[in-house]
Amino acid sequence: MPDRSQPLAAFQLNVKDKYTIFNSLFAALPFSGVANVGAFLPILLQHCESGYAAGLRPAEILEKFFETHTQSRTTEEMNNHLFKFVQYIERQVVLFDAIEDAAFGKLHHVQGKGSLKALYNEAYFQNKLPALRTALQDFRIRVVLTAHPTQFYPGNVLGILHDLGEALVKNDFSTINSYIQQLGITPFFNKKQPTPLDEANNLMWYLENVLYQSMGNIYNFIADEVLEGDVPAHNPFVELGFWPGGDRDGNPFVTSTITLAVAQSLRSAIMVCYYRDVRKLKRRITFAQVDLVLAQLEKQLYENVFRPTESKPISPTELLDTLDGLIQEITQHHHGLFVDRVKGLRNKVKLFGTWFAALDIRQDSRVHAKALQQINAEQIAQGKVGILPKHYESWSEDEKITHLLTLDKACDTPQSIEAKDAIESLYAMHAIQQTNGEKGCHRYIISNCQSALQVVEVMALFVLAGWPKDKISADILPLFETVQDLDAAAASMAKLYALPAYRQHLQQRQLSQTIMLGFSDGTKDGSYLQANWKIFTAKEKLTQLSRTQGIQVSFFDGRGGPPSRGGGKTHQFYASQGNSIENKDIQLTIQGQTITSNFGNQAMAQYNLEQLLSAGLSSRIFPEKQKPLTAAQSALMAALGQISYETYQNFKADPGFLPYLSTCSPLPYYTKSNIASRPGKRGNGQSLKFEDLRAIPFVGSWSQLKQNVPGFYGLGTALETLVKQGKGEALQALYKDSLFFRTLLENSMMSMLKSFFGLTAHLAHDPEFGGIWQKIENEFVRSRDQVLWLSGQTELMGEDPVSRASILLRDRIVLPLLTIQQTGLEKLRQAQLSEKERTQLEKLVTRSMFGIINAARNSA
């Protein structure tokens, strides 16, 4: 077993030293045109570090480097060097990722705190095993993989990253060297924008190669070790959701044809997994008669995989019946030999059925309203009675709801863009339920949801698409995102619950309601602290409301990678939830980079899934550990949130806010990176509006500026203000007592540790942007100092030394890349540029994004 008593020493040995050794192999990478790139890069890094210490601008640092160490004098020669540096650093980041992933088991005690094994042991010694087994009758987690554009590694590079990690675990030097050379000649840039189907197929790699086995292992442990075979029939413990191909919010390239194709790919992928497992079983299950049953099952799966249109679709029930029959036969007549392997496959069928992952449909509420108007207009144009009364738009919300609930007939397929897609997406949902099973596609998410009316509009669309009112076999999920919408969420749901038609729908769904809450847009809209507090209080109010109404509510958290988008130490948030927030399951999105960094291999995936499971279960079986906030502490949190909100709103109101972000950061270049099918902003207008900004490029751009505004802005002012009001001791007590508050501050520390104001210090004296730059730095210093004082630490993330060391080393690797990007952006602000020069600089800025974002792992 590795010695984890000295975590920094383990990191030094297994990551830092190993990186230094294998990084030397990059000297032989096949980069044409520039000799000794690897030899020049350490010199450039030294110039960057000393240059920023001396207060030089990024452009001055590069100029001094070229003048001192190269013969390059023309812009073309220098740009050629810079592009080679970009390529080189991109590959260094892949190497570091692979080394750190390979060392996962040596840096983390995978059977320690937060693991299911540790939870079982704790429950055993505290006589809580009955409580744990009771909780497992219904508790589950649901991780939903999304195609949000935060993954800057193309699919072929992800494959190399995974294989390189496996070779590093084995210390297979020859293979490692080959993979490093492969990296040298593998493109990192997609020449064309990926389609939603491309995105789905890329993510399915994780399903087939990582999660299929990891989730199976978790199910086996719970079933065999914790529940001792007494497994609830309808609880898989871990569920998978899937957004690529179903999430059409702001993505015109997601059509019903794409949705159906992704669902078929998911079904095919799980059949391939079962087929492979059955072939492995055949090598062991060679007993008379039993082998014939297994051979027939192999044939059925083969037909379903390779001849899906000609063969009879196999159902989960058929699979389970066949496997249960095999288990019984082997147990009774063949001494139970290898029966555990058959049980393992049966458990996977219980987990994944014939759908693998449930495909969610998501669309913006404004599109639904527009679709209803379009259907109405088309019917009137055809001489039919419209679905909406003449003065419908002037009616109150209650009047509109009453009318929409009277609709009871299907419409013809409309031809208008929004209406056609809305209706056809519901056709697709019905078709998927017929082929993959109801669990294959049973959730419709309404983003930007602001009222009960917008949920009823979706119910009306279901009816117009031909679904009987009393047989809508789908859950309708409102997604509340902005601070204002979070405040109104309980009132909106109370109105819905009071509607007899909606109550009838919930009866069909076992009186359960899932509500989605958006961290990304909440933070973008209302500040990090306020968004997290508003989501917390919204959950409390929605829990209380639902309990009084006899409805089982579940919360689906739309979390991104960085703390400012709900990421960071996610499991600690769930461990901190007390009885005031419903906790029968944990549902959250896993996006882009976070999929790679948390689920890149089986050990990492199993560890992180167990951390989530353990956090939720622990809060239920050890309620005495959860110290609820007192009324005074809640008031303190509310005050902090409000001051933070006001501070952030004043910052956004600065006339230089959007010009600064769009000019000094790579925000305009997200759409040029070809990392996703979705457009980079909402709307088609040329002018940049704050409401059109998507959260991912918004947060990612601040990250590349190394300022990470969404992760701390307003926090320092809020803390300082309350300290000046004499509430310092109350804040210290809150930090000591509340895991929720501590986790908020710890995650903010991560955002601040990833900041480096020396990169943009030259802007402090800029006539246009100096004021706003100084405003950001002042709030950063204030937030850092207040958080360090409150936590009693002397350095950011001082209590998590391994993560701190990883972040600092990653930032050092990409410092030259950040310097190149900022130089490009500074030159692009100059008016006198030829078209060729502008094109080259834009390409340089865009290409630099890949290594910077990838190095941060959860920056967007």
Side-chain angles (χ1 to χ4, degrees), residues 6-32:
Q6 300 294 330
L8 270 180
F11 180 84
Q12 175 80 32
L13 177 65
N14 296 288
V15 179
K16 190 173 182 180
D17 290 350
K18 221 167 189 179
Y19 172 74
T20 302
I21 293 168
F22 287 112
N23 186 42
S24 64
L25 295 179
F26 275 98
L29 279 176
F31 290 126
S32 60

Side-chain angles (χ1 to χ4, degrees), residues 544-801:
Q544 184 180 17
L545 168 69
S546 300
R547 285 173 177 171
T548 59
Q549 294 289 324
I551 293 166
Q552 176 62 56
V553 71
S554 295
F555 297 113
F556 177 24
D557 292 339
R559 294 183 180 273
S564 55
R565 295 187 55 236
K569 299 179 179 180
T570 306
H571 62 279
Q572 290 186 189
F573 280 114
Y574 296 113
S576 71
Q577 291 183 172
N579 186 53
S580 63
I581 294 176
E582 196 62 77
N583 188 27
K584 283 203 171 184
D585 59 6
I586 290 174
Q587 302 184 36
L588 72 164
T589 56
I590 307 291
Q591 302 179 6
Q593 288 177 306
T594 315
I595 298 172
T596 305
S597 59
N598 286 2
F599 301 93
N601 59 47
Q602 290 179 15
M604 293 163 59
Q606 187 165 334
Y607 175 85
N608 285 297
L609 290 172
E610 287 193 19
Q611 291 286 316
L612 285 172
L613 269 167
S614 182
L617 288 166
S618 180
S619 68
R620 286 183 63 176
I621 65 176
F622 301 115
E624 65 276 8
K625 289 184 178 181
Q626 313 308 317
K627 195 171 183 180
L629 294 173
T630 65
Q633 288 174 330
S634 291
L636 202 61
M637 283 296 308
L640 286 169
Q642 186 60 34
I643 297 167
S644 173
Y645 176 78
E646 292 170 359
T647 304
Y648 182 66
Q649 296 306 313
N650 289 336
F651 173 62
K652 288 197 303 181
D654 190 305
F657 174 77
L658 277 181
Y660 176 76
L661 187 61
S662 61
T663 305
C664 301
S665 85
L667 177 66
Y669 302 99
Y670 263 82
T671 54
K672 299 176 186 290
S673 62
N674 287 339
I675 62 164
S677 64
R678 194 172 73 169
K681 70 180 186 71
R682 296 181 174 92
N684 299 316
Q686 295 300 311
S687 61
L688 182 65
K689 299 178 182 177
F690 182 78
E691 57 269 25
D692 291 338
L693 280 176
R694 293 195 178 278
I696 289 168
F698 176 74
V699 172
S701 296
W702 286 114
S703 170
Q704 290 176 83
L705 268 172
K706 301 303 286 181
Q707 293 180 328
N708 286 312
V709 161
F712 69 82
Y713 205 93
L715 175 60
T717 295
L719 291 171
E720 184 180 76
T721 300
L722 291 189
V723 169
K724 288 179 178 178
Q725 292 175 2
K727 297 177 180 177
E729 289 186 5
L731 285 171
Q732 288 175 320
L734 178 65
Y735 183 83
K736 178 184 176 183
D737 293 344
S738 172
L739 177 59
F740 171 74
F741 184 55
R742 285 200 305 277
T743 304
L744 278 179
L745 265 58
E746 287 171 8
N747 277 351
S748 187
M749 284 191 201
M750 183 186 295
S751 293
M752 289 189 280
L753 182 62
K754 291 184 176 183
S755 299
F756 173 54
F757 280 78
L759 179 71
T760 53
H762 60 284
L763 293 172
H765 309 291
D766 186 273
E768 183 178 1
F769 300 122
I772 195 162
W773 185 93
Q774 198 62 63
K775 188 179 291 187
I776 297 168
E777 195 206 26
N778 289 345
E779 184 63 19
F780 169 82
V781 171
R782 188 179 297 115
S783 299
R784 180 198 62 200
D785 293 349
Q786 290 294 323
V787 167
L788 288 176
W789 163 77
L790 190 54
S791 66
Q793 299 182 46
T794 57
E795 56 186 12
L796 294 170
M797 294 186 70
E799 294 180 356
D800 188 357

Side-chain angles (χ1 to χ4, degrees), residues 116 206-225 236-240 270 274 277 340-341 343-352 356 602 605-606 609-610 613:
L116 289 176
Y206 292 97
L207 270 62
E208 294 180 65
N209 295 283
V210 179
L211 291 166
Y212 178 73
Q213 192 61 48
S214 298
M215 289 171 60
N217 292 341
I218 289 172
Y219 191 104
N220 292 343
F221 178 82
I222 293 174
D224 299 339
E225 303 295 327
F237 313 123
V238 184
E239 295 177 313
L240 278 179
I270 192 57
Y274 295 156
D277 275 2
D340 285 346
R341 300 191 185 193
K343 288 181 179 179
L345 178 55
R346 180 195 59 186
N347 291 344
K348 287 173 181 172
V349 175
K350 288 182 177 180
L351 276 168
F352 305 113
F356 213 156
Q602 290 179 15
Q606 187 165 334
L609 290 172
E610 287 193 19
L613 269 167

Side-chain angles (χ1 to χ4, degrees), residues 474-593:
D475 301 311
I476 302 173
L477 282 63
L479 166 52
F480 301 108
E481 300 177 85
T482 66
V483 169
Q484 182 179 354
D485 296 341
L486 289 166
D487 279 337
S492 296
M493 294 310 299
K495 179 175 284 191
L496 267 179
Y497 290 162
L499 295 173
Y502 194 73
R503 188 81 182 195
Q504 183 182 10
H505 169 67
L506 289 181
Q507 292 279 1
Q508 300 296 320
R509 309 306 295 167
Q510 292 77 50
L511 282 177
S512 64
Q513 172 70 57
T514 303
I515 299 170
M516 189 171 180
L517 304 165
F519 285 77
S520 300
D521 283 288
T523 299
K524 170 178 163 272
D525 173 62
S527 82
Y528 169 71
L529 193 60
Q530 178 76 326
N532 277 275
W533 177 241
K534 287 294 184 181
I535 288 172
F536 185 92
T537 55
K539 284 183 177 182
E540 288 190 318
K541 293 173 185 175
L542 290 164
T543 296
Q544 184 180 17
L545 168 69
S546 300
R547 285 173 177 171
T548 59
Q549 294 289 324
I551 293 166
Q552 176 62 56
V553 71
S554 295
F555 297 113
F556 177 24
D557 292 339
R559 294 183 180 273
S564 55
R565 295 187 55 236
K569 299 179 179 180
T570 306
H571 62 279
Q572 290 186 189
F573 280 114
Y574 296 113
S576 71
Q577 291 183 172
N579 186 53
S580 63
I581 294 176
E582 196 62 77
N583 188 27
K584 283 203 171 184
D585 59 6
I586 290 174
Q587 302 184 36
L588 72 164
T589 56
I590 307 291
Q591 302 179 6
Q593 288 177 306

